[in-house]
Amino acid sequence: RFKVVYGGVNVEKYGGHSPEELKKKLGLPEDKILVAYIGLFKTLGASKGIDTMMEALKYLPENICMVFVGGQRVEINEYESLITDVVIKKRCIFVERQEADMVPLYQRAIDILVLPAPNRPPFNNYLLPMKIYEYLASRKPIVYSKLEILDEVLEDCAYGFVPDNFKDLSMAIMSITNGPSRNIDEKVSICYSKAVSASWQMRAKNIIDWLKLS
C-alpha cells in the first residue's frame, strides 16, 4: 500500500500587511500593475518561461510591469541581456533570490502571479512546483501554462494560456485586468480554499488518518 502526497504551504505566513504596504516596504512600484514570477529561474539548467513573460510585455499596456524574484545574479544578467527594447527593459524588475521568510511578502505584494512553465520535460510530465501552493495561499489571481500536470490543481481556479505563447499569455493577463472583479474574486476564493486544504497540518492529518486505516 502506498499514498501519494503532494506539496503544501504554511498558510499562516500569508496574512498581515496589505499589498500597498508591502509594495512600499519592498521598494516595488506602487502605481503599476505588477505581474510576477517568483521562484528559481532555472530547473536542471532549463529556463522556466521567464523569456515568455518578457515577450508578453510587448502586447500589454505600459502600466503593467513584470517582476521576477528568485534568480542568481548571473541569471539576471543573462535575462537582462536579452532585452533590446529600452522601454520594455524599464518595465522588467529583477530581484535576486530571497530568504524563505521574504517570499510570501513578495507574493502578497504582487497583483497577478504567473507560472509560465514551458511545454517540455521535466515541466510537462512530472514537475509540480511547490510554488503552486504558495501562489494559492497568496489570494492573488494566477495565470499558468495549460499543461496537464498543472491543470490537476489549477484548472478550475486560475487562468490558463497556451504554453510558450507570449501573445496568449498577454491575453490571459488582460482578461484579469479588464475582467469582472466578481469572477476574479470567485477564482481567488477557490484558490485559497485549496491552499488551506494543502496546509502542512492538513497534509499530516491525511497521512495519519490513512496510516490508522492501514
Side-chain angles (χ1 to χ4, degrees):
R1 287 168 56 82
F2 64 89
K3 180 178 178 62
V4 176
V5 181
Y6 283 12
V9 62
N10 290 320
V11 178
E12 62 273 12
K13 291 188 176 181
Y14 287 82
H17 301 292
S18 69
E20 293 74 22
E21 292 172 323
L22 289 172
K23 284 180 181 179
K24 187 172 183 179
K25 174 183 176 68
L26 299 172
L28 297 172
E30 300 174 54
D31 60 341
K32 303 292 184 182
I33 297 173
L34 302 184
V35 179
Y37 166 82
I38 300 175
L40 298 180
F41 280 21
K42 293 185 178 183
T43 291
L44 301 176
S47 172
K48 302 177 80 169
I50 290 174
D51 48 344
T52 302
M53 291 179 64
M54 294 191 302
E55 287 290 330
L57 274 174
K58 297 176 182 178
Y59 302 90
L60 292 168
E62 291 185 5
N63 67 328
I64 294 179
C65 290
M66 294 288 186
V67 182
F68 307 102
V69 182
Q72 300 178 29
R73 173 43 57 183
V74 63
E75 294 169 335
I76 292 174
N77 292 341
E78 176 186 339
Y79 282 112
E80 286 182 327
S81 69
L82 297 176
I83 308 171
T84 56
D85 188 315
V86 176
V87 176
I88 295 298
K89 193 167 188 174
K90 289 181 179 179
R91 294 168 61 195
C92 290
I93 300 169
F94 291 91
V95 180
E96 290 191 51
R97 189 172 180 178
Q98 300 291 303
E99 295 293 331
D101 287 343
M102 293 295 293
V103 173
L105 303 185
Y106 278 96
Q107 290 166 337
R108 288 283 293 138
I110 297 304
D111 299 296
I112 299 171
L113 291 165
V114 182
L115 212 167
N119 188 20
R120 60 176 178 270
F123 308 104
N124 64 355
N125 54 5
Y126 66 82
L127 187 64
L128 190 66
M130 194 74 75
K131 74 174 61 62
I132 281 185
Y133 301 101
E134 297 174 352
Y135 278 18
L136 292 172
S138 70
R139 294 189 178 95
K140 302 293 177 175
I142 300 169
V143 177
Y144 75 104
S145 297
K146 277 196 68 63
L147 300 174
E148 185 175 354
I149 191 167
L150 302 183
D151 275 340
E152 288 185 37
V153 179
L154 298 173
E155 187 172 27
D156 63 341
C157 65
Y159 299 79
F161 73 96
V162 178
D164 306 305
N165 188 318
F166 47 84
K167 288 186 179 179
D168 203 48
L169 170 57
S170 68
M171 291 174 63
I173 292 170
M174 291 300 294
S175 71
I176 297 173
T177 58
N178 295 337
S181 59
R182 179 179 177 182
N183 291 350
I184 296 169
D185 291 343
E186 287 176 354
K187 285 183 178 289
V188 168
S189 179
I190 296 171
C191 283
Y192 187 71
S193 67
K194 288 188 176 187
V196 173
S197 298
S199 69
W200 291 119
Q201 291 87 348
M202 288 301 297
R203 292 296 195 216
K205 181 181 183 302
N206 290 338
I207 294 171
I208 291 170
D209 290 345
W210 177 79
L211 289 172
K212 287 178 179 178
L213 296 175
S214 299

